[in-house]
């Protein structure tokens, strides 16, 4: 993108900048990069991804801009930063030296075969032939060993890369995991919702769940009891999840469940099941064995409507939760 002539750059920036201003896009380097590319219209997948994100979210969240930037604008840049990892450098260096060695060994063997063929044309005595056979056998064993050693290097590199892949996935997960409950955190939720939205029809439902009177639990028993209760409810909710559902803890005693492929009426039945299950628990604080008074939760339920953005969906589900709290708690609201 940076090698274009200056008039073309100016023309594209003149298209990109008003678009960014109109859509209230923050003037970050990532955004400049992707909106410049958008204006150039030369990467249809990028334009489609931006259009679909704006349709669903109304905005272009920062983390999405970064993803799009690395995916479509400067894919090599991410390569570059990963390639700075010393372990990856080691793998690349090892592979380079073993590749050089095997190339040399194979080329030597080719020479040997060439020479052997030449000698065979003139060799007519048995001892002469025997020498050729022995020589060929020795060289074959040598190249065989070299190949084995190269295969081992390849296997080691493959294993190291597998390991690095696992570690990278874990690093990403750590950033999106709530250490208190081991559920996803708000960032994990946002990423998951973003992943679901482009494919969602009218069957993507959010359940926003909040433990009732957590402040009172803290005051009456102790804050540690409240925290232990949050963990307990997290485990219980997780155990009740249907297939194709995702749960995250947003803050305090507040959780969100995304259920895909479930319409409002079924999702509401599921919410009701969770509510009943929680209210029927006999919960003891494990350290003192104190039996807590009845614990309840309130739930807002909302299903994605047509071209609704994620923000609008989240606002509706929050309104429903607020309504459940204002009208007595320990209930679900889904309108
Ligand atoms: N023990 C504990 N308490 C927390 C934690 N995070 C937030 N809280 C408390 O949770 C309470 C959340 O407040 P609210 O949700 O506004 O009120 P609530 O007391 O739960 O009452 P309602 O939501 O109206 O039912 C506050 O008292 C916070 O101090 C936590 O990690 N551990």
């Amino acid at each position: 993108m940076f090698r274009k002539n200056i008039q073309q750059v100016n023309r594209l920036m003149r298209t990109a900048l008003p678009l960014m201003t109109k859509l209230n896009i923050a003037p970050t380097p990532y955004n400049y990069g992707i909106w410049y590319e958008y204006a150039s219209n030369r990467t249809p997948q990028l334009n489609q991804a931006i259009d679909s994100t704006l349709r669903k979210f109304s905005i272009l969240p920062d983390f999405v801009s970064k993803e799009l930037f690395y995916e479509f604008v400067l894919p090599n840049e991410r390569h570059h930063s990963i390639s700075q990892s010393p372990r990856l450098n080691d793998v690349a260096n090892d592979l380079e030296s073993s590749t050089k060695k095997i190339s040399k060994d194979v080329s030597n063997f080719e020479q040997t075969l060439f020479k052997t063929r030449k000698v065979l044309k003139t060799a007519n005595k048995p001892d002469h032939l025997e020498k050729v056979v022995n020589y060929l056998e020795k060289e074959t064993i040598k190249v065989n060993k070299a190949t084995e050693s190269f295969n081992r290097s390849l296997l080691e590199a493959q294993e190291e890369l597998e390991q690095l892949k696992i570690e990278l996935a874990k690093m990403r997960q750590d950033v999106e995991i709530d250490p208190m409950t081991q559920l996803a955190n708000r960032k994990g939720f946002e990423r998951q919702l973003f992943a679901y939205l482009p494919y969602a029809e009218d069957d993507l439902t959010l359940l926003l769940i909040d433990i009732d009177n957590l402040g009172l639990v803290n005051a009456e028993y102790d804050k540690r009891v409240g925290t232990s209760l949050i963990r307990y409810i997290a485990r219980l909710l997780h155990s009740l999840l249907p297939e194709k559902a995702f749960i995250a803890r947003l803050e305090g005693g507040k959780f969100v469940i995304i259920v895909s492929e479930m319409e409002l009426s079924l999702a509401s039945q599921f919410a009701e099941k969770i509510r009943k299950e929680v209210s029927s628990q006999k919960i003891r604080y494990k350290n003192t064995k104190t039996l807590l008074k009845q614990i309840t939760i309130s739930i807002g339920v909302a299903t994605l409507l047509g071209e609704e953005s994620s923000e609008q969906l989240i606002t509706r589900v929050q309104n429903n939760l607020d309504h459940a709290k204002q009208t007595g708690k320990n209930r679900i609201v889904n309108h």
Side-chain angles (χ1 to χ4, degrees), residues 56-270:
K56 298 287 180 190
F57 281 75
S58 314
I59 53 158
L60 202 62
D62 270 349
F63 73 95
V64 178
S65 303
K66 262 191 203 174
E67 285 293 327
L68 293 176
F69 182 86
Y70 282 127
E71 193 170 353
F72 296 107
V73 182
L74 270 192
N76 294 334
E77 198 65 12
R78 177 149 31 202
H79 266 192
H80 180 70
S81 63
I82 292 174
S83 72
Q84 296 312 304
S85 145
R87 279 170 65 197
L88 259 188
N89 271 337
D90 287 351
V91 173
N93 289 342
D94 286 354
L95 273 182
E96 193 181 345
S97 59
S98 42
T99 309
K100 272 188 189 145
K101 185 167 180 321
I102 189 77
S103 310
K104 201 165 143 246
D105 289 342
V106 169
S107 143
N108 286 346
F109 189 60
E110 265 173 15
Q111 296 280 327
T112 305
L113 291 178
F114 181 71
K115 278 189 219 153
T116 311
R117 263 199 303 270
K118 253 170 104 181
V119 173
L120 276 178
K121 275 188 192 148
T122 52
N124 44 15
K125 293 191 187 128
D127 63 331
H128 214 160
L129 276 177
E130 195 183 333
K131 264 191 195 153
V132 174
V133 170
N134 286 344
Y135 176 64
L136 202 54
E137 187 187 30
K138 212 173 88 207
E139 290 302 304
T140 310
I141 290 171
K142 228 160 87 184
V143 79
N144 212 351
K145 277 195 181 142
T147 319
E148 271 175 18
S149 144
F150 182 62
N151 280 344
R152 265 200 308 278
S153 307
L154 282 183
L155 206 67
E156 277 165 21
Q158 198 183 334
E159 280 166 4
E160 183 69 9
L161 290 174
E162 284 295 320
Q163 191 55 35
L164 274 168
K165 258 164 68 182
I166 293 169
E167 285 171 28
L168 282 173
K170 189 166 177 317
M171 265 162 63
R172 174 170 210 162
Q173 223 188 34
D174 284 347
V175 178
E176 294 180 1
I177 293 286
D178 162 38
M180 186 198 282
T181 60
Q182 297 302 311
L183 298 180
N185 60 17
R186 185 179 289 275
K187 193 161 174 237
F189 160 64
E190 282 169 357
R191 197 161 76 84
Q192 192 63 33
L193 187 60
F194 175 67
Y196 274 138
L197 276 175
Y199 312 101
E201 309 213 327
D202 297 342
D203 55 1
L204 183 108
T205 302
L206 293 189
L207 274 64
L208 195 59
I209 301 164
D210 192 59
I211 302 176
D212 293 327
N213 307 317
L214 182 59
L216 284 181
V217 173
N218 286 338
E220 190 165 345
Y221 301 100
D222 187 88
K223 196 150 186 200
R224 275 170 297 183
V225 178
T227 304
S228 176
L229 175 66
I230 295 173
R231 289 205 188 94
Y232 182 92
I233 298 294
R235 281 196 300 275
L236 182 62
L237 294 177
H238 187 259
S239 73
L240 296 171
L241 285 187
E243 260 184 62
K244 299 198 176 161
F246 175 90
I247 182 166
R249 184 176 79 107
L250 300 179
E251 71 214 353
K254 196 175 199 179
F255 301 85
V256 65
I257 295 180
I258 310 175
V259 272
S260 65
E261 295 179 29
M262 200 186 274
E263 286 160 5
L264 186 62
S265 62
L266 273 182
S268 301
Q269 283 174 28
F270 169 54

